[in-house]
Amino acid sequence: MSRQWTKEQLDAIRKEGTNIIVSAGAGSGKTAVLTERVIRKLKQGVNINKLLVLTFTKAAAHEMKERIRKSLIGDESLKEQLSLLDSSYITTFDSFALSVVKKYHYLLNISSNVAICDSALLKMEKKAIIDNIFDELYMQENPYYLKLISDFCVKDDRSIKEYILKINDKLDMKYDRDIYLDTYISVFFNDLKIETDIKDFIKVIQDRCNSIEQLLDKISFYVESDYYDKLETSLSPLLNSSNYNEYKSNLNINFPRLPNNTDDIVKAYRDNIKDIIKEINDMCLWDNDLELKDSIIKTKEYIDIIIYIIKEFDKRLKKYKDCKNVYEFNDIANLSIKLIKENDNIKNELKNTFHEILVDEYQDTNDLQEGFVSLISNNNVYMVGDIKQSIYRFRNANPNIFMHKYERYKHSDEGIKIDLNKNFRSRSEVLNNINLIFDSLMDLTLGGADYKKEHRLESGNMLYLNEGKTDQNNNLEIYNYTYDKDLGFKKEELEIFLIANDIRNKIDNHYQVMDKDKGILRTVTYSDFAILLDRSNYFDLYKKIFTYMKIPIIIHKEDSIATTSDILVVKSILKLINYCSRKQFDNDFKYAFMSVGRSFLFEYNDNDLFDYITNDNYKETKLYQKAMKISEKLNAL
């Protein structure tokens, strides 16, 4: 049975001839639409290897490829495309950029065997480089450097090193970072730029004052005119201020005393006003605007030395990477952009190769990726994403790219904007709850989207209104509790018990869920529950409490390369050899011995390990003999 597409989905599948941005809300059938668009193009004679489909992760690329494969199987007219699928360009940004660099490596004077180094391993080298630069500046007694350290460090210089490394990571997102650093002082410290920055700063204060006016307006509905007039009179000098000096001089405000029996909401609004005034007061550190401007100019000497450190750091890190032939993905992106910018033949080849460039999860695109695509595009970029699902700023994603393009395409003919707001995944109660929250929270200033106007989720799944209808309350539940530390539990433990009890209650009371695969209502099972946490600190605590409550639980978390089993085993091997060399057969030795013994290298069972350790007969094992043999040759090795 053919799928019933909505009008908006059909637009997203069929529209052609220009750049297109599709704002696809959660559960809106984004992947299905993207897949159908590809299939439509194949049926119109475009080969699959003439489409460049760029995804955020390898898993997403694999899913997209498998969805297309599923659609191609059984369609005799597309049999030839099936044979081309595995060599098609359905890949991540990083992988595609790497393929370009490997293909044209000789133009960059680097090896074709370019290796991507895990950031955890490069972290040690970066730390060593920054330490060396700092040590040299101490030895030179550089006055600007010593002033930077003196003014911004307390106990040691660790924090300033970390900040400089973070700045350097952000600069990696700029292809023109050298030009940016070389021109930074002239661009950001001319009189016009400083005046503009001060105006922007005052605009921030004005926005805070606008918030006070809104709160004042709300208070007017709850109090007598006498109190309101007194409050307005006390606040009016600040609210009528227009420049820094006026704001600074009008911050001392005497609040009139609240009348007896004042509504609690008025007290809350007044406290909010006081908090905003305190915030403004904290912002206005300088006595007048001349002092403010002077303070900006004085930062130039700090920035000069920071730029010197960053450039020196970049030079030494590049030398290390070139020598070892190892790079980070940001390096590969920069190298691919360099190839395209400096070689018209490569740019034209890529521009003319692809009928269309399709970008998935566009809200997670970073500046380098956007620059790369813009160089090889030909008014043929199809972008799919959702500004509301942007969560990768910490990985240098720039959701403003999506937001600005979405706004431009609304008001110009440089591209088409399509909204997919119908959700086919969730019950209407879930969507209504989400809309209720985000209508109040999300706008262009906070979140980069006018949620109420253009991004509200609409229910599109009729299954829940028919076969899946129940008398259960499917609305959002917020659990509150009173914390009493005398009970002997941590807050986290109480919350985990709340969650565990909720799951047990739903299991015991045969809570009904809709099985969309079978199209029937059924009793909930443990695998229907998912617990999402913002950090992994309490994973083990969840495991412990859920085991106690007899609830099965599977924990999914990402590990850095430094904590993978292979690396941990290598670390234990090195410790073991070291202890053997020093004839140190204490508990530390035994821990290392058990770690390697239990690992995939030897696979000793627990009974044997217990025997080796308690009876000190580990010297009979192959593991000990190998470690001891290596330790005896340690100096030569």
Side-chain angles (χ1 to χ4, degrees):
M1 188 176 74
S2 62
R3 180 166 180 161
Q4 296 296 309
W5 302 101
T6 66
K7 176 190 176 300
E8 293 78 14
Q9 286 176 325
L10 287 174
D11 284 345
I13 293 166
R14 294 173 179 171
K15 288 209 170 182
E16 290 275 6
T18 185
N19 294 328
I20 298 171
I21 190 165
V22 180
S23 177
S28 63
K30 175 200 71 172
T31 308
V33 165
L34 202 56
T35 304
E36 187 65 18
R37 183 176 181 86
V38 170
I39 297 300
R40 176 185 67 76
K41 287 183 175 292
L42 301 186
K43 288 183 175 179
Q44 291 178 344
V46 178
N47 285 331
I48 187 73
N49 56 8
K50 293 296 181 182
L51 298 174
L52 175 58
V53 183
L54 298 173
T55 64
F56 189 64
T57 64
K58 289 181 179 178
H62 177 75
E63 182 191 354
M64 176 63 63
K65 195 171 281 191
E66 291 311 304
R67 280 193 177 227
I68 293 170
R69 190 188 308 279
K70 191 175 178 181
S71 298
L72 293 177
I73 291 172
D75 191 329
E76 195 63 29
S77 66
L78 297 175
K79 190 174 181 180
E80 185 180 336
Q81 301 302 324
L82 194 58
S83 63
L84 296 172
L85 182 61
D86 287 324
S87 60
S88 62
Y89 298 98
I90 302 173
T91 183
T92 63
F93 273 103
D94 292 333
S95 296
F96 185 70
L98 183 59
S99 70
V100 172
V101 169
K102 284 189 171 184
K103 183 176 181 179
Y104 298 105
H105 66 96
Y106 55 91
L107 295 173
L108 297 164
N109 198 29
I110 62 174
S111 166
S112 62
N113 190 29
V114 178
I116 303 298
C117 183
D118 188 278
S119 57
L121 301 180
L122 264 181
K123 191 175 181 180
M124 294 172 63
E125 184 61 29
K126 289 179 179 179
K127 184 180 181 302
I129 292 172
I130 198 82
D131 285 346
N132 288 336
I133 293 171
F134 271 51
D135 288 345
E136 289 168 15
L137 289 168
Y138 280 123
M139 294 290 289
Q140 295 166 12
E141 297 185 353
N142 183 296
Y144 298 110
Y145 170 73
L146 294 177
K147 181 169 174 51
L148 175 75
I149 297 299
S150 173
D151 291 350
F152 291 98
C153 296
V154 183
K155 293 181 179 178
D156 53 41
D157 56 19
R158 188 184 309 161
S159 60
I160 204 88
K161 288 177 182 175
E162 290 173 355
Y163 279 122
I164 290 174
L165 289 175
K166 285 178 182 177
I167 293 169
N168 187 70
D169 288 344
K170 290 293 182 185
L171 286 170
D172 280 343
M173 291 296 104
K174 288 186 171 293
Y175 172 73
D176 59 347
R177 61 176 285 158
D178 289 337
I179 298 171
Y180 179 80
L181 289 171
D182 289 339
T183 60
Y184 189 92
I185 297 295
S186 61
V187 169
F188 288 92
F189 283 90
N190 62 70
D191 286 340
L192 180 61
K193 181 66 172 79
I194 292 173
E195 292 298 331
T196 302
D197 286 343
I198 291 173
K199 285 178 183 177
D200 289 341
F201 174 64
I202 292 169
K203 175 70 169 60
V204 173
I205 298 174
Q206 287 172 341
D207 289 340
R208 301 291 190 276
C209 288
N210 291 339
S211 298
I212 293 174
E213 286 185 336
Q214 291 169 12
L215 290 165
L216 192 59
D217 185 54
K218 290 178 180 179
I219 287 174
S220 69
F221 292 102
Y222 296 91
V223 297
E224 298 293 335
S225 59
D226 182 48
Y227 175 77
Y228 176 80
D229 290 341
K230 289 179 182 177
L231 183 59
E232 185 183 37
T233 301
S234 65
L235 291 169
S236 61
L238 177 64
L239 300 182
N240 292 325
S241 299
S242 60
N243 58 56
Y244 179 82
N245 292 341
E246 290 177 2
Y247 282 118
K248 179 68 177 179
S249 61
N250 292 322
L251 278 168
N252 293 321
I253 295 165
N254 293 316
F255 282 82
R257 184 176 177 182
L258 282 169
N260 293 331
N261 301 318
T262 300
D263 196 308
D264 285 344
I265 197 167
V266 175
K267 295 176 183 176
Y269 287 150
R270 188 193 63 165
D271 289 344
N272 285 346
I273 291 173
K274 286 184 175 181
D275 289 341
I276 294 172
I277 291 171
K278 183 182 182 304
E279 187 183 351
I280 296 172
N281 200 45
D282 291 341
M283 293 165 67
C284 295
L285 300 171
W286 306 273
D287 290 337
N288 53 61
D289 54 4
L290 292 176
E291 190 179 304
L292 167 58
K293 183 175 181 178
D294 187 53
S295 72
I296 295 172
I297 294 170
K298 282 181 177 177
T299 62
K300 187 165 71 170
E301 59 190 32
Y302 301 124
I303 290 171
D304 263 328
I305 190 65
I306 289 171
I307 288 174
Y308 168 80
I309 293 169
I310 289 172
K311 291 182 74 172
E312 188 64 25
F313 174 87
D314 193 41
K315 182 172 71 177
R316 297 185 191 190
L317 183 62
K318 184 179 183 302
K319 183 179 179 181
Y320 172 83
K321 288 176 177 177
D322 290 344
C323 178
K324 301 290 184 181
N325 198 36
V326 294
Y327 300 93
E328 296 174 275
F329 278 118
N330 287 339
D331 300 319
I332 298 301
N334 274 301
L335 289 171
S336 64
I337 291 172
K338 177 180 172 69
L339 280 168
I340 295 166
K341 277 194 167 186
E342 296 179 1
N343 298 275
D344 287 340
N345 60 320
I346 297 175
K347 180 198 286 188
N348 292 331
E349 179 190 336
L350 291 170
K351 267 179 174 280
N352 296 324
T353 294
F354 299 112
H355 169 82
E356 186 168 77
I357 301 169
L358 301 96
V359 184
D360 193 16
E361 303 294 359
Y362 187 63
Q363 79 280 351
D364 293 322
T365 301
N366 63 42
D367 295 270
L368 283 178
Q369 292 165 345
E370 174 68 5
F372 178 78
V373 169
S374 66
L375 286 170
I376 64 171
S377 64
N378 205 2
N379 199 29
N380 62 340
V381 185
Y382 182 88
M383 300 148 278
V384 185
D386 182 14
I387 190 72
K388 303 186 295 299
Q389 297 186 58
S390 175
I391 59 171
Y392 286 108
R393 278 182 172 89
F394 70 96
R395 289 185 183 175
N396 292 316
N398 183 0
N400 290 328
I401 296 170
F402 182 101
M403 182 183 76
H404 292 153
K405 197 163 287 190
Y406 180 88
E407 290 298 314
R408 287 207 317 273
Y409 286 13
K410 271 198 311 190
H411 305 294
S412 72
D413 57 1
E414 62 178 301
I416 298 170
K417 176 208 67 129
I418 300 170
D419 291 306
L420 300 181
N421 290 336
K422 265 204 170 117
N423 176 290
F424 299 94
R425 182 184 299 154
S426 306
R427 291 182 179 274
S428 58
E429 294 95 331
V430 174
L431 304 180
N432 292 338
N433 294 159
I434 290 170
N435 287 336
L436 182 67
I437 294 169
F438 281 90
D439 280 349
S440 303
L441 290 179
M442 197 174 202
D443 55 27
L444 287 172
T445 303
L446 181 62
D450 191 340
Y451 189 88
K452 203 167 187 177
K453 186 177 179 182
E454 293 174 310
H455 295 275
R456 294 185 101 247
L457 296 171
E458 303 170 21
S459 180
N461 193 334
M462 297 297 107
L463 196 63
Y464 292 126
L465 298 178
N466 301 310
E467 295 92 333
K469 188 174 182 181
T470 71
D471 295 327
Q472 296 167 168
N473 180 4
N474 293 304
N475 282 296
L476 171 72
E477 296 176 32
I478 297 176
Y479 287 0
N480 294 306
Y481 63 92
T482 302
Y483 177 59
D484 184 356
K485 63 181 180 182
D486 293 334
L487 290 174
F489 291 102
K490 299 176 184 175
K491 287 181 181 179
E492 293 76 21
E493 290 173 324
L494 290 175
E495 290 174 12
I496 296 169
F497 273 114
L498 274 173
I499 294 167
N501 281 319
D502 182 56
I503 293 172
R504 285 307 305 262
N505 287 335
K506 284 184 165 63
I507 292 287
D508 294 342
N509 293 308
H510 307 291
Y511 188 87
Q512 296 295 291
V513 295
M514 187 66 200
D515 191 319
K516 289 194 287 186
D517 294 331
K518 297 178 180 177
I520 58 169
L521 280 168
R522 61 166 172 79
T523 299
V524 70
T525 64
Y526 287 117
S527 61
D528 291 314
F529 295 96
I531 301 166
L532 306 180
L533 303 177
D534 62 346
R535 64 199 69 189
S536 59
N537 306 37
Y538 302 111
F539 280 4
D540 291 335
L541 194 56
Y542 267 89
K543 184 83 173 176
K544 184 177 179 181
I545 292 174
F546 271 52
T547 302
Y548 171 78
M549 295 284 289
K550 295 184 172 55
I551 299 174
I553 187 171
I554 298 172
I555 293 174
H556 297 277
K557 64 177 178 178
E558 289 185 3
D559 291 321
S560 74
I561 191 170
T563 59
T564 57
S565 58
D566 293 5
I567 299 297
L568 293 175
V569 170
V570 170
K571 286 169 70 176
S572 294
I573 290 171
L574 295 174
K575 287 179 181 178
L576 188 64
I577 293 168
N578 183 42
Y579 297 141
C580 287
S581 175
R582 290 156 54 182
K583 304 294 189 289
Q584 177 186 329
F585 303 117
D586 56 7
N587 282 338
D588 288 337
F589 163 80
K590 291 176 180 178
Y591 286 135
F593 180 89
M594 285 193 291
S595 176
V596 181
R598 184 183 276 118
S599 74
F600 55 85
L601 290 176
F602 289 88
E603 296 182 337
Y604 294 151
N605 64 49
D606 288 347
N607 290 332
D608 289 340
L609 282 171
F610 183 78
D611 177 54
Y612 297 146
I613 296 302
T614 54
N615 296 316
D616 285 339
N617 55 9
Y618 50 80
K619 293 182 180 180
E620 301 170 9
T621 65
K622 284 185 178 180
L623 169 56
Y624 173 82
Q625 292 163 10
K626 285 177 181 290
M628 184 56 75
K629 189 174 181 181
I630 294 171
S631 74
E632 291 166 354
K633 301 178 181 178
L634 203 56
N635 291 334
L637 290 172

